[in-house]
Amino acid sequence: MTESDTAVTSSVLRLDVLGPVEVRLAERRLSISAPQTLAVLAILAAESGRTLSTPHLAARLWSDRRPTSAFSVLRNHVHELRRHFGAHGHAGAGTEWLTSTVGGYRLALPVQCDAVTVQELLAAAESDRASGAADLAHEKLAAAKRLWRGDPLVGVPGPWADKERARLGGLRSALAEAAIAVTLDLGRYSAAVAELEALVAAEPQVERWHELMMVALYRAGRRIEALEVYRNAHRMLADELGLEPGPRMSRLHQEILSATPPPTGTAETPSPEKELHSRRIPAWLPTDITDFVGRDELVSELTTVLGGDGDRRPVVAITGMGGVGKTALAVHLAHQVRRHYPDGVLYLDLGGLDERPRSTDLLMGTALRAFGFEPSELPLDSDERKQLWRNAVANKRALLLLDNAPDVAHLAPLLPGPGPAAVLVTSRSSLAELFGARLVPLDVLAPDAAWKLLAHRASARRLAGDPTAAREILRGCGHLPLALCVVGARLASRPTWPLAGFAERLADEHGRLAELTVGGTSVEHAFLAGFRRLDPELSRAFVLIANADAPELPVAAVAALLDRDPVEAERLCETLVDAGLLQTPELGRYRYHDLLRLFGRKVAEPEQRREWPRAMHRLIDFYLASVKNVMALRDPNMSTEHYAATGAAGQQFTTQRRCTAWITTERAAIAALHRQVADAGDARTRTLAADLALALAVGGDIGEHRPLEMLSRAAEADGDRRTMARARLAAVMTRLIGTGDLTTARTLREVSATLLELGDHSGATIAEVMLGTGMTYRGKTDAAMEHYLRAIDLADQEQAASPGLMWAAIAGVHCTARRWPDAVQAAEQALSFAGRAGSLRVESMALQELALATLHSGDPETARALCEESLDAARRDGRRDQEGRALARRAEIMLATDDAAAAAPVAEAAVQALTEVPSAIPRLRAMQVHARTLLAIGRPHEAIPILEEVAATSQRIGVPILDAATADLNTRTRPRAG
């Protein structure tokens, strides 16, 4: 443990709120005078150890009247608290004890609070009273009353403080009621009457004080006065509030009327309150699932939580999408821990899957009857019924399983107060605002658990007989427990069905949901229950987002898709997440479970189906606009005018690294959307999609070529030759750079000719650059120079490609041809363009070629320094292919300057970087350099397999510039003369 850790654990924050707020740290009083600063501290202390977001804190301080500078004011309060902590703790204590996290603050000190102490004393006293130890209960309650110094949280502002004052007021009443009950148990009736007179005078509208006064007087033998209390209360309620006494007071009145006064002496006649019939111990719990599988660690953890000893039991809320196994897990847990709850186990279905959830009054009535209350005893008033329910379970070691809660508002009245009763809740809602609960978001099963569940239902032997088909079935079910149970039941009842045939049926997305039905159980029905609760705007969002093939989308893309501003789009997405219909893998990104995506497409209304082509167009428009923004930041001198016009603003970027990170993250989404547009888009959207692919390829961000070839064929079917040619050009670039396909020259010439014929000089320029790249890979340096120079001529007209990029490529051609002075001149020309444009990509490429030319010009030290500059530029740019090439060149020059030991790990890092991105030939070059470094440091057993792979691949794809790898290999493996 560090010194700072010791300081934290040895310092305890003491917060006294039962009166004017007092704060102590290690017994030293903190003079915090600003009321709002005290409010911030009290809010954080109430949830010590948990991060509270800045908006959450602001809402608790200001509610709807939040000032525009709220977050700034909050920061000032936090700064002031840290200043106080720092003055009373060690250096740095302020930021250690009040930490900043992403979007919020956390109090990292243990907290002692007088209000919590009172709650604990009250609970302990009630336990003592229940066991017959009234004297001990009286001592604890007296200690609790001494902690009360006045009205709670005096002067502390804000809606949180108002609610907390109301809560503490209720605690004070509960304490007073408990103290009077114990006083009556001890036979001190006069003392009880005196205390109740003060309470009745202070709060005449509280029926409970009148009831207890009636009991106290009755037990003291003052029956007439007890009846007079009832008459006075009846008159006051009728005259001032227009109400009749509640059922409990009326019943007490009738029982006193019919009872015999208790005799004077030591023996006490049972009071009406003690003449209650015995209560029942409920055992309402569905049967445990005999083949429950998976989630072993979670079951073990929650069993410990629910089975632990203590007077304050937890609320555990299991949440997740429909069919994920929430109820199964909750029932299984309840059976595991039921022995720890001698006062009963109660299961209630709250009806969250119904169109109209069950009313809380009805549910409380059901729960009360389960614990032995008769229907005639149940108050009609909701608040009275809730109070009776909480009193009934206040001291019971009972477990409540509340299944299918629609939301927190519906659930809250059913929750018992602090005490030995534990609660298990299941809900499709996230229940994020169920503060103090242990939230357990449930995901689908892990692959091995999914296999085990299907094996239990459909026979392990059958799955082992065709494991490939079994895994396809698991994928088709999305590892969703409900889907696996349905499929298992169908397969078990049809033992002659081959798994491969059923897997093939599940592979058909259009019919998959229909296959996931057995009897009255279906995955679609489970999803429909949640979908029915959506309003029209949420329903539209759910359907439109589901129609996009992208595996996940950022909120900015969702905003474009829905034609809503980003704030509204995020609200819609977060609401769907809270409803268990959408997932958020990370902040600001959203995705569907595969089966929910299919369901969203199936339930689309006709209007939503008609809107989808426009929504898809908006989405592709957003991505193209975003990539244009990337190009403007990376290569400002490269025109984007030749790309299709866009209506969206697109994602905005501040650094080149952010550009690269965004493209890397969105690559899978863009590839999926290209396939979708090729299959189902219109001609306008295909034009945007083709230009999106081309813009990415020009920027060096290579994706998959097959979706682009599909897109090209679809555009050709549209009769759109320009879109066809540009999509084909993007596909060929992807093949050439990504896979090292050197058979693309003919296609590139055809594309170039088509684009020139159509007047698209920009596209033709890009085609010429790619022809030059292909010729360089093939070692045809003169032909490469011709294509690059032709591209420069065309670029002067259109600025379709970066001149700096082409001059860097020409420097590479000169290096390949070992024309070192020419290479230096071309590289310096490229650097000049890079400096004016601020292009880190061009700067890194040019420096790599300049380093090699400088080495061969006899200046190794400068060459190594240039490599360092190239690597720095590549890393600031953020593209892994550029970093990999820079590392490979650095290793190559280190090897050439007799520093092989240092070069080996650099070359290995280059191979790793170039393996992560589609960049076939640069990767082979890096592997060759790596093998040479290993040979140089005496590790041929590692080098030879690498050289064999390089030689085989270079021969297969026809890369003569890598033939040296074969020579290296032959040299190392040639048999020695005997």
Side-chain angles (χ1 to χ4, degrees):
M1 183 178 286
T2 66
E3 184 180 337
S4 62
D5 291 333
T6 305
V8 171
T9 54
S10 63
S11 297
V12 176
L13 185 74
R14 174 76 195 183
L15 185 68
D16 293 334
V17 298
L18 302 179
V21 178
E22 294 182 0
V23 185
R24 288 181 175 81
L25 189 59
E27 302 306 323
R28 297 173 63 186
R29 185 168 179 173
L30 276 61
S31 299
I32 303 173
S33 57
Q36 210 165 57
T37 304
L38 280 174
V40 172
L41 178 59
I43 293 168
L44 290 168
E47 300 191 46
S48 175
R50 292 184 59 190
T51 295
L52 297 182
S53 69
T54 305
H56 188 78
L57 279 167
R60 291 186 172 195
L61 277 178
W62 289 288
S63 188
D64 296 333
R65 297 190 298 275
R66 183 187 307 177
T68 55
S69 59
F71 291 177
S72 176
V73 172
L74 263 177
R75 283 194 297 272
N76 291 338
H77 290 313
V78 168
H79 175 75
E80 179 66 12
L81 290 171
R82 285 173 173 166
R83 187 182 66 78
H84 281 284
F85 288 169
H88 291 77
H90 60 274
T95 53
E96 274 187 42
W97 296 346
L98 182 46
T99 63
S100 297
T101 60
V102 177
Y105 300 100
R106 178 171 66 91
L107 186 63
L109 278 172
V111 175
Q112 291 181 354
C113 181
D114 54 355
V116 174
T117 304
V118 167
Q119 289 174 305
E120 292 170 348
L121 287 168
L122 177 57
E126 289 173 343
S127 179
D128 287 342
R129 184 186 177 216
S131 63
D135 287 332
L136 292 176
H138 183 267
E139 291 175 8
K140 290 182 174 68
L141 293 171
K145 291 168 77 173
R146 285 194 296 271
L147 292 174
W148 223 283
R149 297 173 290 109
D151 292 334
L153 292 165
V154 173
V156 177
W160 177 86
D162 292 340
K163 290 180 181 178
E164 189 65 6
R165 273 188 286 271
R167 186 185 75 82
L168 293 173
L171 177 63
R172 193 172 195 175
S173 296
L175 178 62
E177 181 177 347
I180 290 166
V182 170
T183 302
L184 291 173
D185 291 345
L186 293 170
R188 300 170 185 172
Y189 307 128
S190 297
V193 169
E195 190 166 351
L196 283 163
E197 285 175 343
L199 288 169
V200 168
E203 298 176 316
Q205 76 283 2
V206 178
E207 286 189 47
R208 186 58 179 152
W209 305 145
H210 296 283
E211 293 166 4
L212 287 171
M213 177 69 87
M214 291 166 68
V215 173
L217 291 169
Y218 177 76
R219 290 192 185 181
R222 297 158 64 178
R223 180 173 178 239
I224 302 301
E225 292 173 72
L227 294 171
E228 184 64 24
V229 168
Y230 174 81
R231 284 192 290 273
N232 291 338
H234 185 286
R235 187 163 44 251
M236 181 274 297
L237 290 169
D239 293 347
E240 296 185 15
L241 302 175
L243 298 174
E244 290 292 319
R248 184 165 54 187
M249 183 183 286
S250 298
R251 187 171 63 251
L252 189 60
H253 176 239
Q254 291 300 319
E255 291 177 355
I256 292 175
L257 281 173
S258 61
T260 303
T264 312
T266 57
E268 179 188 324
T269 301
S271 72
E273 285 216 325
K274 286 194 173 182
E275 293 173 351
L276 297 174
H277 48 71
S278 61
R279 300 302 185 196
R280 290 191 291 269
I281 297 177
W284 294 11
L285 196 60
T287 305
D288 196 6
I289 298 169
T290 56
D291 61 351
F292 186 90
V293 299
R295 313 195 194 280
D296 295 340
E297 290 185 9
L298 182 60
V299 169
S300 176
E301 179 184 349
L302 294 180
T303 299
T304 301
V305 170
L306 291 164
D309 294 327
D311 294 327
R312 293 174 65 86
R313 295 298 181 100
V315 176
V316 175
I318 302 171
T319 62
M321 64 182 286
V324 80
K326 302 179 294 296
T327 299
L329 174 60
V331 169
H332 183 64
L333 282 169
H335 279 278
Q336 297 296 304
V337 302
R338 63 185 304 170
R339 67 182 182 279
H340 297 284
Y341 296 94
D343 293 328
V345 180
L346 176 63
Y347 170 90
L348 290 176
D349 184 349
L350 275 57
L353 304 184
D354 302 335
E355 290 192 40
R356 291 186 177 180
R358 295 173 179 85
S359 76
T360 52
D361 278 355
L362 177 64
L363 290 164
M364 278 189 287
T366 302
L368 286 164
R369 288 196 299 275
F371 279 101
F373 286 83
E374 297 299 328
S376 60
E377 295 181 276
L378 304 183
L380 297 178
D381 179 77
S382 295
D383 289 339
E384 288 186 8
R385 185 171 291 202
K386 181 167 68 175
Q387 188 60 46
L388 178 61
W389 163 240
R390 291 194 171 176
N391 288 341
V393 294
N395 296 306
K396 292 188 182 295
R397 290 186 176 275
L399 175 64
L400 311 176
L401 202 171
L402 307 179
D403 197 18
N404 295 318
D407 49 45
V408 171
H410 199 82
L411 171 69
L414 295 165
L415 298 177
V423 183
L424 257 175
V425 182
T426 75
S427 179
R428 297 189 184 188
S429 168
S430 68
L431 303 182
E433 67 274 37
L434 190 59
F435 304 122
R438 167 70 183 276
L439 300 181
V440 184
L442 216 56
D443 203 351
V444 296
L445 291 174
D448 57 341
W451 179 285
K452 193 173 180 181
L453 176 57
L454 187 59
H456 270 267
R457 298 299 174 99
S459 151
R461 186 175 179 181
R462 195 169 174 188
L463 267 61
D466 193 348
T468 301
R471 282 189 288 271
E472 289 300 319
I473 290 172
L474 295 181
R475 275 192 287 272
C477 292
H479 295 178
L480 186 71
L482 177 61
L484 292 168
C485 290
V486 168
V487 167
R490 293 193 69 190
L491 290 174
S493 64
R494 295 160 177 80
T496 59
W497 277 15
L499 294 186
F502 193 73
E504 187 175 341
R505 295 174 75 164
L506 281 181
D508 176 14
E509 291 189 349
H510 298 290
R512 186 180 303 170
L513 288 174
E515 296 293 337
L516 299 178
T517 301
V518 62
T521 302
S522 75
V523 171
E524 184 175 347
H525 179 75
F527 293 162
L528 190 61
F531 177 74
R532 280 194 303 241
R533 297 172 63 86
L534 301 181
D535 63 34
E537 182 71 0
L538 283 169
S539 172
R540 171 182 177 268
F542 176 76
V543 167
L544 290 182
I545 301 170
N547 269 279
D549 278 352
E552 62 183 57
L553 289 171
V555 69
V558 173
L561 173 71
L562 299 179
D563 196 21
R564 298 291 185 266
D565 66 70
V567 173
E568 174 64 7
E570 185 169 35
R571 184 193 70 78
L572 291 168
C573 287
E574 287 296 312
T575 304
L576 291 172
V577 170
D578 285 339
L581 293 171
L582 191 63
Q583 299 171 339
T584 176
E586 59 183 272
L587 183 65
R589 298 191 67 81
Y590 300 95
R591 71 182 179 200
Y592 281 100
H593 184 277
D594 288 344
L595 296 178
L596 268 174
R597 185 191 303 277
L598 296 179
F599 172 77
R601 295 176 178 184
K602 185 171 183 179
V603 297
E605 297 288 341
E607 178 56 36
Q608 293 163 349
R609 295 182 193 278
R610 287 192 293 270
E611 186 185 0
W612 169 241
R614 301 193 302 275
M616 181 189 285
H617 186 89
R618 292 193 296 264
L619 184 57
I620 302 299
D621 180 270
F622 162 81
Y623 274 111
L624 178 55
S626 300
V627 173
K628 286 182 183 180
N629 294 340
V630 168
M631 297 179 75
L633 186 60
R634 284 174 167 176
D635 294 294
N637 68 331
M638 189 185 297
S639 172
T640 59
E641 292 298 318
H642 65 97
Y643 297 108
T646 48
Q651 187 78 44
Q652 302 298 315
F653 306 96
T654 54
T655 66
Q656 297 191 31
R657 284 189 67 84
R658 288 186 181 274
C659 295
T660 302
W662 182 84
I663 288 175
T664 300
T665 302
E666 299 305 319
R667 184 173 286 129
I670 291 171
L673 291 172
H674 276 138
R675 280 190 291 269
Q676 188 172 15
V677 172
D679 280 341
D682 55 31
R684 278 192 329 128
T685 306
R686 279 195 269 271
T687 296
L688 290 176
D691 280 5
L692 169 60
L694 189 58
L696 285 168
V698 167
D701 300 297
I702 300 302
E704 301 177 36
H705 64 87
R706 288 186 180 86
L708 308 184
E709 289 165 350
M710 293 169 56
L711 186 62
S712 176
R713 290 192 292 271
E716 186 176 19
D718 293 335
D720 186 344
R721 293 180 65 212
R722 182 175 182 273
T723 297
M724 177 272 293
R726 287 169 77 89
R728 196 176 181 193
L729 174 56
V732 170
M733 292 173 71
T734 301
R735 284 166 50 201
L736 174 60
I737 297 171
T739 67
D741 185 352
L742 298 183
T743 66
T744 55
R746 179 178 175 182
T747 304
L748 283 168
R749 290 191 186 95
E750 291 173 355
V751 167
S752 179
T754 300
L755 292 171
L756 282 172
E757 176 193 339
L758 296 171
D760 186 351
H761 287 202
S762 302
T765 301
I766 298 166
E768 291 295 332
V769 171
M770 287 298 100
L771 281 165
T773 301
M775 293 301 170
T776 303
Y777 286 162
R778 296 170 66 183
K780 297 184 178 182
T781 55
D782 291 340
M785 284 294 296
E786 289 179 13
H787 287 297
Y788 283 134
L789 291 173
R790 190 176 301 135
I792 288 174
D793 288 340
L794 288 169
D796 287 341
Q797 304 173 42
E798 298 285 340
Q799 289 187 310
S802 165
L805 194 67
M806 288 180 279
W807 279 111
I810 288 171
V813 173
H814 286 311
C815 284
T816 301
R818 305 184 69 81
R819 297 191 289 261
W820 308 119
D822 292 339
V824 169
Q825 185 178 359
E828 289 177 343
Q829 182 84 333
L831 285 170
S832 175
F833 278 108
R836 291 197 296 271
S839 173
L840 293 172
R841 178 190 182 195
V842 173
E843 180 183 345
S844 179
M845 292 173 64
L847 286 168
Q848 290 171 41
E849 307 305 338
L850 184 58
L852 187 60
T854 301
L855 173 70
H856 287 281
S857 300
D859 189 355
E861 290 304 316
T862 301
R864 291 181 70 145
L866 290 169
C867 280
E868 295 297 330
E869 292 181 40
S870 172
L871 181 57
D872 177 67
R875 283 176 171 162
R876 283 185 286 127
D877 174 72
R879 278 173 275 204
R880 285 291 274 165
D881 64 320
Q882 291 300 320
E883 183 179 357
R885 294 179 193 200
L887 285 165
R889 181 54 51 85
R890 182 186 181 199
E892 183 180 358
I893 288 177
M894 293 170 76
L895 180 62
T897 54
D898 299 323
D899 195 3
V906 175
E908 185 177 12
V911 174
Q912 176 60 40
L914 292 166
T915 302
E916 295 173 9
V917 292
S919 192
I921 292 177
R923 177 175 173 272
L924 288 174
R925 285 174 167 168
M927 290 172 67
Q928 185 177 7
V929 173
H930 185 212
R932 286 175 171 170
T933 63
L934 294 172
L935 291 173
I937 59 175
R939 291 158 60 182
H941 60 287
E942 296 177 53
I944 288 173
I946 297 174
L947 287 171
E948 287 174 341
E949 182 182 347
V950 172
T953 306
S954 64
Q955 289 171 5
R956 176 174 54 80
I957 64 178
V959 187
I961 58 173
L962 293 176
D963 284 348
T966 305
D968 284 334
L969 183 60
N970 291 336
T971 299
R972 300 304 304 180
T973 59
R974 186 183 298 122
R976 295 183 179 180

